[in-house]
Amino acid sequence: MNQPKTAAHWWQETVVYQVYPRSFQDSNGDGIGDLQGIIQRLDYLKTLGIGAIWLSPVYRSPNDDNGYDISDYEQIMAEFGTMADMEQLIHEAEKRDIKLIMDLVVNHTSDEHPWFIESRSSKNNPYRDFYVWRASVNGDAPNDLESTFLGSAWQFDDHTGEYYLHLFSKKQPDLNWENAKVRQAVYDMMNFWINKGIGGFRMDVIDLVGKLPDKKITGNGPKLHDYLQEMNAKTFGGKDLLTVGETWGATPEIAKLYSDPERNELSMVFQFEHVGLDEQPGKSKWDLRPLVISELKTVFSKWQTELGDQGWNSLFWNNHDLPRIISRWGNDREYRVQSGKMLAILLHMLKGTPYIYQGEEIGMTNRIVADISEVEDIESKNMYADRMAKGYTEAEILISINAKGRDNARTPMQWDTSKNAGFTTGTPWLAVNENYHEINAAHALADHTSLFYTYQQLIALRKKYPLIIWGSFELLENTTETVFAYYRHYEGETWLIVCNFSDQKQTFSLETTVEKVIIANSEKDYSTLLNRTLEPYEAFVVKLGGNVHA
Ligand code: GLC
Ligand code: CA
């Protein structure tokens, strides 16, 4: 059970770092992060110890959705640089043993992609069937499918008098995956990138490509897995690349379909069950409720145990679509560093491949806006317009945006105390969080007790101890509600991870022998675990000796 079913893969043993290029490092003063900026910061990432970078889209794009609307998959966005810069980035990263994972956005393109320009030009254009076109029904849209960014998913196009499908913005028309030519064009493009020496793909909303819009089926359509098996065979199969699918609706059963090694689809998926725990059931991400820690325990335990060796987990708190974890489920005030360390230890001791989102390793926080004019993100802006029309108050809407808006994660990386946090010498495209004077990478690097070094240590531990990679997971029951504790077992060895997920002291007691402390966010003595008081957000990992009494 504990042994890998097949040979170990590099992507099971590494930690991935997500770079959102627009906000990472500007090298030419135009206020927009770029590829040369990333190259400048590779040594920082090497110091952290990560083995791969997931690069959010850098392809040519009119930026309706910050690069997730692509108008040319084989060209680099002018603001980010050139293909020569991209090749240099791949090469410079490789020198530091870091692989580049490209974002693969193929559920849709931009409406400015040449395929779509052709497609919309006439009903008998050879590219017409590259997209999903439908005639109107009684003078109206074909059905009431909704876009993720609100409003109808169907857009009427005057020129040919038909509707096209867009599950995201109307500048993101959906590709028609039922068309074999579309699939082949995607595979050719993937091979173009594989031949450049990249380490894999993160697949944007990949669970939507099997959609049957006439039946109003979007996620997990009947042909989804056939397409992925075909993609695997025609592109990365046999090359040991890291492939991770973004799959919002995945359950463990569904995740196994993607990541069972015997099915030849993907390495792993991002599942989002934990991410939805602070939403009101059945409502949207904007409808908030407090996180219940016991629910988080249940969800993580389920994913840790149910995939078994028929699948592989990805582990994350943050990405470019989610608010900052310290502000969300930690404490971004007096316990910022302490809660950040607890969250890091809790996640990185689980089984799976961890992902760090830029700035997480220095404890960056949400940036609060006071007015909608400070918001850039299309999703938040659409929600604002929608809810204003529905009669919500402006104050209510801003509470949701400040809690969940995607700009929270997208403010520029905070490097140092110089102007604009060292991100740009110009005017940043999105305002820097004012707390950069205190929270920045230079401070973190200069302080050996900083969150940065906890992340560095966690990454190093993963390289040293196979238990972290292969050990089985067991939840420790009977703790207080906000103490999240679990065991990892591997080849007769047991580690215990204990995390106080709250800003209150908690009690904890376990009769056991501690052999050694692996990592902790306090200097306390852990030689006995009987009748302990845990400080707010205290977290520790110990190797147990002798018999374990659960
Ligand atoms: C994914 C991306 C998100 C984007 C959407 C449409 O969810 O992570 O940023 O807006 O897909 O491409
Ligand atoms: Ca720039």
Side-chain angles (χ1 to χ4, degrees), residues 18 20 54 56-57 65-69 103 105-108 148-149 167-169 172 202-206 208 246 248 272 319-321 377-379 406 410:
Q18 185 189 353
Y20 194 69
W54 153 22
S56 276
D65 186 20
N66 282 0
Y68 283 89
D69 49 318
D103 217 313
V105 189
V106 290
N107 173 67
H108 44 267
T148 304
F149 293 159
L167 292 177
F168 293 88
S169 95
Q172 292 168 299
R202 174 267 182 184
M203 302 186 183
D204 194 66
V205 290
I206 199 68
L208 301 180
E246 185 198 21
W248 278 84
F272 291 87
N319 66 33
H320 65 293
D321 295 327
D377 176 36
I378 181 171
E379 185 192 35
R406 305 196 296 181
R410 299 179 180 183

Side-chain angles (χ1 to χ4, degrees), residues 92-110:
E92 289 296 323
E94 194 181 7
K95 280 201 225 160
R96 294 162 177 86
D97 290 320
I98 297 173
K99 296 180 201 286
L100 258 297
I101 310 299
M102 298 299 277
D103 217 313
L104 184 77
V105 189
V106 290
N107 173 67
H108 44 267
T109 68
S110 164

Side-chain angles (χ1 to χ4, degrees), residues 67 132 141 205 243 258 293 337 353 405 413 421 501 519:
V132 184
V205 290
T243 51
Y258 293 102
I293 308 299
V337 172
T353 301
M413 179 71 184
F501 212 119
I519 187 172

Side-chain angles (χ1 to χ4, degrees), residues 124 133 162 165 202 204 210 219 400 402 423 484 508 512 516:
N124 48 30
W133 291 96
E162 286 191 335
L165 180 73
R202 174 267 182 184
D204 194 66
S400 292
N402 281 323
F423 164 68
F484 191 152
F508 179 84
T512 188
K516 78 172 180 197

Side-chain angles (χ1 to χ4, degrees), residues 184-204:
Q184 190 56 49
V186 168
Y187 306 150
D188 290 346
M189 175 274 280
M190 291 172 72
N191 286 325
F192 167 89
W193 283 102
I194 291 171
N195 290 336
K196 290 206 179 289
I198 62 162
F201 295 102
R202 174 267 182 184
M203 302 186 183
D204 194 66

